[in-house]
Amino acid sequence: MEYEPVIGLEIHAQLLTDSKIFCGCSTKFGAAPNSNTCPVCLGMPGVLPVMNKSVVEFTMKMALATNCRINPVNRFARKNYFYPDLPKGYQISQYAYPLAEAGYVDVEVNGDKKRIGITRIHMEEDAGKLVHDERSPSSYVDLNRACVPLIEIVSEPDMRTAEEAAAYLRRLHEILVYLEICDGNMEEGSFRCDANVSLRPIGQAEFGTRAELKNMNSFRNVQRALEYEISRQQYVLESGGAVLQETRLWDDSEGVTHSMRGKEEAHDYRYFPDPDLVPIVISEEWIGEIAKTIPELPLEKRERFVREYDIPPYDAGVLTATRALADYYEETVKCSGMPKGASNWVMGDVLGHLKEDKLDITSSPVKPKDLGAMITLIEDDTISGTIAKEVFGEMWKTGNPPGKIIEEKGLTQISDSGALESTIDDVLKANPDQVGQYKSGKEKLFGYLVGQTMKATQGKANPKLVNEILKKKLSAL
Amino acid sequence: MKITKHEVEYVAHLARLQFDEEEKEKFTSQLNDILVYMDILNKVDTSGIEPTTHAIDLTNAFRDDIVKESVGTEVTLTNAPDKFGDCFRVPKVIE
Ligand SMILES: [Zn+2]
């Protein structure tokens, strides 16, 4: 029998606020354990949570960017369970009245567009962090992360392959980062993903029994875990077994999922409205104000780059990977008027040097204005492409504008045919054998003679002119 | 009966409470009385009245996103039954 996977994702994104969701403690990562804490986030009796307004506004941004309906009345609920990283014995979350519902994003897989539905987006607080010690019978609790604002984004079970799931995950990730409401760091846990996956015979409407996958902390692992789990369930079904509804943990080193069976209880969270937090009412005016702050999103930007700058979709994808890189590229285009040249230099030398020096585009020593000027100098034949590489290296080292470097190092291209003619005469005189072979039909040697001329001028000769003069002189011989 | 002893045991387990047989009987009967009283409340005509979660008519109580000083690790751990370094120590939890 042929089976079809059904995949839904639950994503938790930490919001980039300065303070926590219900208290003024800092959200900064990496502080000493239990130092960003106060009676509210420690769950002391008698304290009252007060809602951080930026959390609401950041969540509204995500809702608008993913085409969701924003609910006019929002309420918080308590999700009750016991765990050592949860000081209050309940997590404040949203249940019946989430901030946003019924949205979607479009993803592209192998050139095909597919729409993935978003069921809901809601706000909640994070729990603390548990550190386990292999050698001791203890675990350690750090409550710095308790009460840090999260949004949970729940998808519809619309994905049918691991690849689609990875594409959806990437799309949400880039939107969050573009909106500057999440740093997207999967390793530090500010962007986390759980997956629900089940199989059903093709043509069947009802879903099969699903497993929930956890512990996948990279895009690659999400895709690998789903691929593994799909083949595991297929094997179980084909050998006449039944898939159990359970949570399974991805094991990165073994490349398999393990059942958490036995360590898990049936959950009954007994949600009820939180009496400490009053409802949040969101007006059309407020939504309108937030809508004005939404920047151009990655997919729109990508399509515009292809249209406006006439560059391949792949290049547009690389150049729009982050907002800062896209801005850098556009500024370079503006300063040079050369979209194609700008994309070659940004994708090649700029990204290459950034990677080598482990730098971010915002701290690139070469500014778009100077890169643009350099591209213009290539275009008007002041310098050759070869010399430009050298100039760029020098710009990267010194941060100087290209004009200054070219002048100081005397790198201007030789476009004076008089000067070139005498150099070429010398080259021809110095290589009589090669000239003879060329004349007897070995046309490949033309390239050799061009090379010798470039060498004699330290790469400064205008290649077009060298070709012209050389051809003329050789045919006259 | 609105609620059985079995349900009382279930809720007690979720709340990590331990009762003896006598207490279980007592709470079953008391919770039953409360639920029977709810039936009386349910007779009130509430058609056309919005459900509410609060007694006061207050919305949008916000604070601005400004960092305030925290109490610090030492104060945080003052009441901890067990601690190690800068952390609370708890019996081993395996995920
Ligand atoms: Zn706090």
Side-chain angles (χ1 to χ4, degrees):
Chain A
M1 199 184 300
E2 289 267 340
Y3 291 98
E4 170 187 64
V6 175
I7 303 166
L9 298 185
E10 277 174 27
I11 290 160
H12 285 92
Q14 182 183 325
L15 297 179
L16 271 179
T17 54
D18 294 327
S19 67
K20 293 185 176 181
I21 181 169
F22 300 128
C23 64
C25 291
S26 168
T27 54
K28 240 197 201 101
F29 186 82
N34 293 301
S35 62
N36 291 339
T37 47
C38 74
V40 173
C41 54
L42 290 170
M44 293 293 160
V47 297
L48 281 176
V50 186
M51 184 70 199
N52 182 337
K53 192 175 183 186
S54 295
V55 172
V56 184
E57 301 196 325
F58 284 9
T59 314
M60 285 165 74
K61 283 189 189 192
M62 190 56 185
L64 291 171
T66 53
N67 312 291
C68 285
R69 181 186 78 227
I70 294 180
N71 286 325
V73 179
N74 271 254
R75 296 179 205 277
F76 283 95
R78 292 184 180 180
K79 178 179 181 178
N80 299 281
Y81 66 95
F82 290 110
Y83 212 67
D85 61 7
L86 192 71
K88 294 190 289 289
Y90 59 84
Q91 179 195 26
I92 303 179
S93 181
Q94 293 192 284
Y95 189 56
Y97 304 89
L99 187 133
E101 288 178 279
Y104 64 85
V105 290
D106 291 327
V107 301
E108 238 171 73
V109 180
N110 302 325
D112 293 327
K113 254 194 187 174
K114 175 157 181 176
R115 180 158 290 184
I116 310 292
I118 289 174
T119 314
R120 56 185 276 146
I121 302 176
H122 71 248
M123 306 173 276
E124 62 186 27
E125 59 177 341
D126 205 348
K129 198 176 89 178
L130 274 170
V131 183
H132 308 289
D133 185 345
E134 295 295 322
R135 293 153 302 169
S136 100
S138 303
S139 294
Y140 306 100
V141 188
D142 172 8
L143 294 177
N144 282 347
R145 213 178 58 191
C147 233
V148 160
L150 298 179
I151 52 175
E152 180 174 327
I153 306 162
V154 183
S155 83
E156 290 289 305
D158 285 348
M159 289 152 275
R160 296 291 171 266
T161 64
E163 231 180 338
E164 276 177 23
Y168 166 79
L169 195 63
R170 283 208 173 82
R171 172 55 36 83
L172 284 197
H173 184 268
E174 65 182 10
I175 293 175
L176 285 162
V177 173
Y178 256 67
L179 292 173
E180 291 170 349
I181 60 172
C182 174
D183 68 16
N185 191 324
M186 284 183 99
E187 258 145 47
E188 287 175 10
S190 36
F191 182 80
R192 325 196 265 267
C193 171
D194 299 334
N196 287 308
V197 55
S198 63
L199 259 52
R200 65 179 169 190
I202 286 181
Q204 180 182 303
E206 309 91 77
F207 296 144
T209 307
R210 64 164 202 264
E212 191 184 355
L213 305 186
K214 285 180 183 286
N215 199 37
M216 308 163 287
N217 60 355
S218 70
F219 291 113
R220 192 169 149 268
N221 279 344
V222 170
Q223 189 166 341
R224 282 172 72 209
L226 283 167
E227 276 161 5
Y228 172 84
E229 184 60 18
I230 289 165
S231 54
R232 186 192 70 87
Q233 291 189 14
Q234 183 147 2
Y235 176 79
V236 169
L237 293 171
E238 276 169 357
S239 47
V243 173
L244 297 175
Q245 180 161 349
E246 61 180 355
T247 303
R248 298 180 70 86
L249 294 184
W250 168 247
D251 184 324
D252 184 23
S253 56
E254 287 181 47
V256 298
T257 62
H258 287 301
S259 173
M260 276 178 64
R261 213 170 14 213
K263 293 162 194 158
E264 195 188 18
E265 285 182 67
H267 288 300
D268 182 348
Y269 294 123
R270 295 149 294 141
Y271 284 95
F272 65 88
D274 189 295
D276 290 341
L277 287 155
V278 298
I280 296 168
V281 174
I282 299 174
S283 65
E284 284 300 322
E285 290 75 38
W286 196 6
I287 296 174
E289 272 169 44
I290 297 298
K292 275 186 242 153
T293 69
I294 307 268
E296 183 181 34
L297 294 170
L299 186 63
E300 299 160 20
K301 205 183 269 284
R302 208 157 293 158
E303 288 172 349
R304 179 171 63 81
F305 275 23
V306 171
R307 206 170 54 235
E308 207 167 287
Y309 301 129
D310 197 24
I311 55 175
Y314 174 81
D315 297 17
V318 174
L319 293 168
T320 54
T322 66
R323 236 165 106 183
L325 181 63
D327 289 348
Y328 185 100
Y329 169 69
E330 287 208 276
E331 195 56 34
T332 308
V333 172
K334 218 199 279 166
C335 296
S336 64
M338 304 291 303
K340 192 69 209 161
S343 88
N344 287 341
W345 279 92
V346 173
M347 286 173 63
D349 292 65
V350 175
L351 287 183
H353 277 76
L354 286 174
K355 200 173 169 199
E356 213 169 282
D357 295 355
K358 296 194 175 64
L359 286 177
D360 188 75
I361 185 72
T362 50
S363 43
S364 164
V366 174
K367 301 297 164 214
K369 171 173 62 76
D370 294 328
L371 180 59
M374 194 197 77
I375 293 167
T376 313
L377 290 171
I378 305 169
E379 201 46 39
D380 68 14
D381 283 336
T382 307
I383 51 172
S384 67
T386 325
I387 290 292
K389 293 264 175 199
E390 190 183 335
V391 173
F392 183 86
E394 204 57 33
M395 286 163 74
W396 194 268
K397 254 188 268 167
T398 60
N400 285 335
K404 190 171 173 212
I405 291 165
I406 290 164
E407 203 190 296
E408 277 176 9
K409 301 210 148 202
L411 294 171
T412 314
Q413 182 156 272
I414 303 167
S415 295
D416 166 8
S417 50
L420 273 181
E421 290 212 19
S422 69
T423 309
I424 289 173
D425 283 339
D426 292 345
V427 167
L428 295 179
K429 238 178 267 161
N431 297 283
D433 290 354
Q434 283 81 355
V435 171
Q437 288 179 36
Y438 173 81
K439 294 297 281 184
S440 60
K442 270 200 156 181
E443 290 191 8
K444 266 203 301 202
L445 281 163
F446 186 75
Y448 172 80
L449 294 167
V450 171
Q452 290 302 304
T453 310
M454 295 308 285
K455 206 171 153 194
T457 59
Q458 282 107 45
K460 285 187 279 183
N462 176 340
K464 262 183 255 160
L465 210 54
V466 171
N467 275 307
E468 248 167 57
I469 298 171
L470 199 56
K471 225 167 237 161
K472 191 184 73 194
K473 288 204 182 280
L474 284 167
S475 59
L477 279 176
Chain B
M1 291 293 262
K2 290 256 166 209
I3 191 167
T4 63
K5 194 175 97 183
H6 178 72
E7 283 165 303
V8 171
E9 283 169 343
Y10 174 65
V11 175
H13 170 70
L14 287 175
R16 305 292 184 269
L17 294 171
Q18 281 174 344
F19 300 130
D20 58 30
E21 282 308 305
E22 201 181 312
E23 284 171 317
K24 284 179 197 164
E25 297 293 347
K26 188 171 85 186
F27 291 135
T28 307
S29 140
Q30 285 182 348
L31 286 169
N32 204 54
D33 289 346
I34 293 167
L35 291 173
V36 168
Y37 181 67
M38 293 295 163
D39 278 348
I40 302 173
L41 288 180
N42 275 338
K43 287 192 188 121
V44 179
D45 181 10
T46 55
S47 54
I49 295 171
E50 279 283 304
T52 185
T53 49
H54 287 82
I56 43 165
D57 193 18
L58 184 68
T59 60
N60 295 7
F62 294 127
R63 43 173 274 273
D64 289 329
D65 181 27
I66 292 164
V67 175
K68 295 236 173 82
E69 206 170 331
S70 295
V71 297
T73 307
E74 207 187 313
V75 176
T76 295
L77 296 172
T78 304
N79 294 328
D82 192 8
K83 59 191 160 192
F84 181 78
D86 287 342
C87 288
F88 297 89
R89 176 152 56 187
V90 296
K92 189 156 204 153
V93 191
I94 298 171
E95 218 169 56

